[in-house]
């Protein structure tokens, strides 16, 4: 099973503020979305006051919305959120690359969630708006929906996946794919999948895969959760 929507700012704020409320403030600070790629010295996106973490305008003056996908989180932040959500007793985690692709493409191997033809008004990509590109709330762009009802996989925010990056692709059950030896520094590469609000529409194609350093924070990368069922 996979979440219909990516994790939003509102969801992520609930996580951080629960950490604060349970005496884990240092952990909360470590997982706050930050403006630059890596490092604790980077400027946090969220504000903090006596009531806890909250949304504020970013350095460009743009107001972040509660129902925007959370962005500027690294792979470890996403895993920490999954662990927090799994503490309820349900084994939530990041999806594997193949799970993500199946949820997006269905059984017919379509190029896009809705079929094989791309129009930039059907997903939140760079040319979707007449104004400057910005993220959308998860309620916008209803056409960006897979055969299973999963939303926002061709645009708005890319998703972290659980897997290490494998140049030849992931292995299928019963059909192993030969692994290439990883070079120095390659063990920190993870997979991100899906289009995003500032990407060219060509990257919306669901077969597109990217390797991303696990500590990297990007204004186009968020995440959604999945869980196994028996």
């Amino acid at each position: 099973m996979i979440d219909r929507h990516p994790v939003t700012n509102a969801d992520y704020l609930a996580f951080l503020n629960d950490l604060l409320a349970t005496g884990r403030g240092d952990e909360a600070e470590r997982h706050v979305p930050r403006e630059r790629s890596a490092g604790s010295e980077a400027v946090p996106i969220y504000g903090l006051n006596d009531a806890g973490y909250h949304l504020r305008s970013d350095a460009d003056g743009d107001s972040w919305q509660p129902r925007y996908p959370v962005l500027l989180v690294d792979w470890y932040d996403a895993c920490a959120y999954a662990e927090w959500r799994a503490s309820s007793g349900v084994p939530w985690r990041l999806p594997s690359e193949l799970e993500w692709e199946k949820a997006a493409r269905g059984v017919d191997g379509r190029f896009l969630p809705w079929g094989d033809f791309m129009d930039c008004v059907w997903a939140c990509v760079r040319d979707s708006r007449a104004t400057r590109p910005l993220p959308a709330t998860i309620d916008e762009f209803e056409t960006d929906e897979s055969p299973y009802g999963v939303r926002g996989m061709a645009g708005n925010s890319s998703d972290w996946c659980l897997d290490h990056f494998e140049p030849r692709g992931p292995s299928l059950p019963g059909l192993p794919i030969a692994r290439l030896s990883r070079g120095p520094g390659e063990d920190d590469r993870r997979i991100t999948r899906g289009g995003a609000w500032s990407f060219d529409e060509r990257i919306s194609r669901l077969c597109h895969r990217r390797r991303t350093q696990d500590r990297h924070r990007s204004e186009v990368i968020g995440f959604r959760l999945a869980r196994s069922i028996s």
Side-chain angles (χ1 to χ4, degrees):
M1 299 185 70
I2 192 167
D3 275 348
R4 178 171 186 163
H5 297 292
V7 172
T8 65
N9 281 318
D11 298 328
Y12 202 78
L13 282 166
F15 159 58
L16 295 179
N17 286 324
D18 185 66
L19 293 180
L20 284 179
T22 53
R24 299 159 68 186
D26 290 345
E27 188 177 344
E29 182 180 6
R30 187 162 67 248
H31 294 304
V32 174
R34 296 178 184 276
E35 288 189 11
R36 292 194 290 110
S37 295
S40 59
E41 76 283 357
V43 178
I45 286 296
Y46 296 157
L48 177 63
N49 57 26
D50 292 342
Y53 287 101
H54 58 88
L55 291 171
R56 63 181 182 186
S57 298
D58 62 19
D60 296 324
D62 296 317
S63 297
W64 287 48
Q65 301 301 313
R67 290 179 70 79
Y68 278 1
V70 63
L71 302 169
L72 292 161
V73 288
D74 65 25
W75 185 84
Y76 295 97
D77 297 331
C79 289
Y81 177 90
E83 182 179 356
W84 173 77
R85 193 159 141 191
S87 66
S88 64
V90 179
W92 291 105
R93 55 172 171 77
L94 295 181
S96 72
E97 181 179 8
L98 285 177
E99 289 171 337
W100 188 97
E101 188 164 342
K102 174 69 185 303
R105 300 182 77 180
V107 298
D108 57 8
R110 56 187 60 195
F111 293 143
L112 298 153
W114 53 82
D116 290 335
F117 177 77
M118 178 64 184
D119 190 306
C120 62
V121 302
W122 292 345
C124 184
V125 294
R126 187 175 65 196
D127 296 323
S128 296
R129 309 177 192 269
T131 56
R132 181 166 61 91
L134 285 170
T137 70
I138 60 172
D139 308 297
E140 300 177 73
F141 295 93
E142 295 180 359
T143 314
D144 188 358
E145 181 174 286
S146 83
Y148 301 112
V150 187
R151 299 274 293 274
M153 301 186 96
N156 209 17
S157 63
S158 297
D159 290 328
W160 284 109
C161 293
L162 196 60
D163 318 44
H164 283 287
F165 174 76
E166 296 288 352
R168 293 181 180 175
S171 60
L172 294 166
L175 184 64
I177 295 176
R179 294 289 183 255
L180 297 178
S181 297
R182 293 193 182 109
E186 286 296 314
D187 279 345
D188 63 358
R189 304 289 181 175
R190 299 283 175 171
I191 286 286
T192 53
R193 298 293 298 263
W197 61 273
S198 66
F199 283 170
D200 185 281
E201 62 190 55
R202 291 172 295 178
I203 302 180
S204 295
R205 287 171 61 99
L206 298 173
C207 54
H208 189 87
R209 58 198 301 265
R210 297 177 301 283
R211 63 178 180 179
T212 308
Q213 199 225 13
D214 54 18
R215 292 288 185 187
H216 182 65
R217 298 175 187 269
S218 169
E219 69 278 359
V220 298
I221 300 176
F223 65 99
R224 71 184 74 222
L225 299 186
R227 64 183 176 94
S228 301
I229 55 173
S230 58

